[in-house]
Amino acid sequence: MQYEKYMKKCIQLAKQGEGNVSPNPLVGCVVLDKFGNEISTGYHARYGENHAERDALLKLKNGEENDGTLIVNLEPCSHFGKTPPCTNLIIERGIKKVVIGMRDVNPKVDGITKLKAAGIEVIEGILENECKTLNEIFIKNQTQNKPFIAIKTATTLDGKIATSNGSSKWITSEKAREEVKKIRNRYDAILTTSSTIIADNPTMEHRKKIILDRELKTDKNSKIYQSGEIFVFNKKNTPVIENKLDLEFIFNRAYEQGIKSILIESGGILNGEALKYTDKIYHFIAPKITGDNSSKSCFDFKRITDINESLHFRFAGVENFEPDILLTYYS
Ligand code: AOF
Ligand code: ZN
């Protein structure tokens, strides 16, 4: 289909907003003139700033968009939020056709009806699955009022994240670790535990860091505390259930504080506990084997005796970061 290549471009443009638009969605836009020539592009760059459609249209000053087509990965908004409705500007500028990737899940938005009422042709559902994946965080937030939770782990072929004495640097290669930085940027906060801080003293460069430290055992001089905004959960400010900090409470509290997505980067015990809240798993695998039964596993939570009782996940993709791979799963 002729519009797919432009929708792909919208998705690419939208990704330029990663790390800056939360809690808003990632949105990109392409404008074609009445002959089908691309005349402008735009994207939502930062929370509170222009939406993608407005960004693309305001770059045009001579009316060349008149009778043109606007392609956008999300249904244009029709409400007054931080910015005025995009539908109004689209109508004012004489756009004839609007091509949309997915409908907006925000109940305040009903742009399609408004556009159609103004006589604009609307085509929906172009690369809809890709558009939904792009905004999986926004969709979960809007439909469930909960943060999107992901786990990142990096293991050997035998599923180990460290040897029995805790040695873990480095399992994966430089290339894979560079990718981890990109993944982190898509999330509002990273989350780790006192055990990981004490064992590895990681920096985990990020804007926001959630630290689970039940007994307040971590040294405030640890590298993780030296940058970013820090949120510490401990037994004084968090309910404890069976000797563990209540994860649901932590996720809800984080959400109230504007953290709409969390990337967990910790050990097998927390990973195991967090699984039931987890939406997505990023699993890097290095072609190495520790061969030691007492090495630490990436998900360490219960002993299953019947293989049919294993938890099941939905395969989402595999990428090559030679010599390592990244497997992605949804729960
Ligand atoms: C965006 N960027 O490019 C589009 C959005 O408070 P506001 O005015 O920024 O409105 C946010 C809502 O607008 C958002 O929840 C979504 O439903 C809709 N569309 N949002 O941030 C965009 N097109
Ligand atoms: Zn808008």
Side-chain angles (χ1 to χ4, degrees):
M1 237 304 262
Q2 63 188 116
Y3 293 122
E4 289 189 355
K5 79 165 188 194
Y6 294 114
M7 195 57 78
K8 278 207 177 106
K9 187 158 185 174
C10 289
I11 293 172
Q12 287 315 316
L13 287 159
K15 286 183 179 168
Q16 295 187 51
E18 269 174 354
N20 297 317
V21 303
S22 174
N24 276 355
L26 294 162
V27 188
C29 177
V30 175
V31 183
L32 312 179
D33 68 9
K34 63 179 168 206
F35 308 108
N37 302 311
E38 183 179 317
I39 50 173
S40 189
T41 62
Y43 67 98
H44 184 49
R46 191 167 290 278
Y47 176 68
E49 292 183 6
N50 283 341
H51 288 181
E53 304 90 314
R54 187 166 299 273
D55 183 43
L57 288 171
L58 292 185
K59 288 175 188 162
L60 297 164
K61 301 231 165 5
N62 302 316
E64 60 266 50
E65 69 279 23
N66 204 1
D67 282 339
T69 299
L70 180 142
I71 300 124
V72 60
N73 57 286
L74 182 73
E75 173 181 6
C77 71
S78 52
H79 71 298
F80 283 88
K82 292 231 163 237
T83 60
C86 291
T87 47
N88 293 8
L89 186 66
I90 293 169
I91 296 164
E92 264 166 44
R93 292 298 189 99
I95 293 287
K96 204 166 125 188
K97 192 189 285 186
V98 173
V99 179
I100 295 168
M102 64 170 279
R103 288 194 174 203
D104 197 340
V105 286
N106 180 350
K108 287 186 200 143
V109 171
D110 188 16
I112 293 174
T113 310
K114 268 206 169 176
L115 294 172
K116 284 186 176 163
I120 294 174
E121 181 188 352
V122 177
I123 299 177
E124 286 188 60
I126 305 296
L127 298 183
E128 188 167 12
N129 288 338
E130 287 86 341
C131 292
K132 286 185 171 168
T133 302
L134 174 74
N135 275 312
E136 59 195 8
I137 293 172
F138 178 71
I139 294 171
K140 171 136 194 222
N141 297 163
Q142 289 283 334
T143 58
Q144 297 181 41
N145 255 306
K146 286 185 181 148
F148 187 96
I149 310 291
I151 292 176
K152 173 246 130 185
T153 188
T155 75
T156 60
L157 286 177
D158 47 344
K160 306 298 185 186
I161 54 173
T163 60
S164 53
N165 64 5
S167 150
S168 65
K169 284 188 175 127
W170 295 102
I171 291 171
T172 47
S173 63
E174 183 73 35
K175 245 196 228 169
R177 290 186 327 233
E178 280 306 308
E179 180 64 14
V180 170
K181 291 182 188 161
K182 288 192 200 154
I183 294 171
R184 273 184 200 154
N185 187 44
R186 295 180 202 143
Y187 290 84
D188 282 349
I190 55 115
L191 181 153
T192 195
T193 59
S194 53
S195 319
T196 301
I197 296 171
I198 292 164
D200 298 346
N201 192 17
T203 303
M204 291 190 182
E205 205 49 64
H206 202 277
R207 309 175 287 281
K208 292 189 164 113
K209 302 172 180 179
I210 300 173
I211 295 168
L212 273 45
D213 187 3
R214 189 182 53 150
E215 300 294 336
L216 288 161
K217 279 191 302 202
T218 55
D219 177 352
K220 291 291 181 300
N221 294 317
S222 310
K223 288 190 203 158
I224 196 149
Y225 287 107
Q226 307 315 312
S227 65
E229 193 181 343
I230 310 283
F231 301 79
V232 180
F233 290 92
N234 56 60
K235 66 180 180 190
K236 292 185 191 150
N237 64 13
T238 309
V240 175
I241 302 174
E242 289 173 7
N243 286 326
K244 304 216 152 87
L245 294 175
D246 179 354
L247 284 182
E248 195 165 353
F249 173 92
I250 291 168
F251 295 150
N252 287 337
R253 181 51 57 89
Y255 194 74
E256 284 162 18
Q257 297 183 5
I259 295 174
K260 306 294 181 189
S261 57
I262 297 173
L263 182 68
I264 297 176
E265 293 194 60
S266 187
I269 294 174
L270 182 75
N271 286 351
E273 275 172 51
L275 268 180
K276 69 172 178 225
Y277 304 103
T278 298
D279 298 290
K280 189 171 190 173
I281 299 174
Y282 299 92
H283 190 161
F284 288 91
I285 302 177
K288 296 176 183 171
I289 291 175
T290 71
D292 178 358
N293 187 28
S294 54
S295 301
K296 298 185 193 316
S297 298
C298 52
F299 294 102
D300 189 356
F301 63 115
K302 66 173 179 180
R303 205 165 285 279
I304 283 177
T305 48
D306 180 351
I307 193 69
N308 297 307
E309 284 174 13
S310 325
L311 302 181
H312 285 229
F313 294 86
R314 184 164 56 84
F315 175 75
V318 56
E319 284 169 84
N320 199 343
F321 296 94
E322 229 180 309
D324 310 319
I325 58 166
L326 167 60
L327 287 168
T328 311
Y329 288 93
Y330 290 105
S331 50

